[in-house]
Amino acid sequence: MFVHSTLYRVCYADTDQMQYMYYGNYARLYEIGRVEAMRHLGFSYRTFEENGILMPVMDMQAKYFAPARYDDLLTIRTTVLELPAARIKFKYEVLNERSELLNEAFTTLVFVNATTNRPMRAPADFITALAPHFA
């Protein structure tokens, strides 16, 4: 399995009236974690899109255990649990500075051909970059 961690500091605009990070902002954390994990492997959404590959989110599930608060330094741990085919599933764990699990989520994205708008297999070079993490 492939695991990558990214840091994110909660800013004031992320919080709600209760001074907690607003629940809707967690999806943005998942995207930040996912984008940085892919970048670590040498890929970017921009490159995929320039090559005619889109990656829309098909499904998202999240559980909240404790709130993140203004100025907390969060770790977004992003995991790819299995080699993708036409879909890729990500797991996210959001932890605070004390390594307490605040949130856990899963997203499923689909590789889509931008011209035909039909699902397609994950690019071979992306699979090749991920494969050593599943040996």
Side-chain angles (χ1 to χ4, degrees), residues 14-133:
D14 290 329
T15 62
D16 60 19
Q17 190 171 358
M18 296 180 291
Q19 300 180 15
Y20 295 167
M21 183 164 173
Y22 178 66
Y23 81 96
N25 288 333
Y26 283 82
R28 187 165 52 91
L29 295 184
Y30 311 150
E31 181 179 358
I32 290 167
R34 185 170 62 242
V35 166
E36 293 305 317
M38 289 176 55
R39 189 179 312 278
H40 182 77
L41 289 167
F43 296 86
S44 71
Y45 273 91
R46 177 178 293 204
T47 303
F48 278 177
E49 290 172 356
E50 288 170 352
N51 289 305
I53 302 166
L54 305 176
M55 291 180 65
V57 174
M58 178 180 147
D59 181 60
M60 182 177 80
Q61 301 168 349
K63 289 184 181 179
Y64 303 88
F65 303 109
R69 298 173 188 271
Y70 169 70
D71 207 38
D72 282 355
L73 183 61
L74 306 177
T75 298
I76 308 162
R77 186 181 305 142
T78 305
T79 304
V80 178
L81 299 170
E82 58 190 27
L83 281 173
R87 298 177 185 176
I88 184 168
K89 189 169 186 174
F90 293 92
K91 176 183 178 183
Y92 311 93
E93 295 168 297
V94 179
L95 302 106
N96 63 17
E97 292 171 79
R98 294 176 301 285
S99 297
E100 297 167 332
L101 181 63
L102 305 179
N103 175 270
E104 180 180 74
F106 296 88
T107 59
T108 304
L109 283 74
V110 180
F111 293 94
V112 172
N113 180 301
T115 304
T116 64
N117 207 32
R118 303 283 302 159
M120 59 181 286
R121 294 195 64 74
D125 55 347
F126 184 61
I127 299 292
T128 300
L130 276 171
H133 301 279

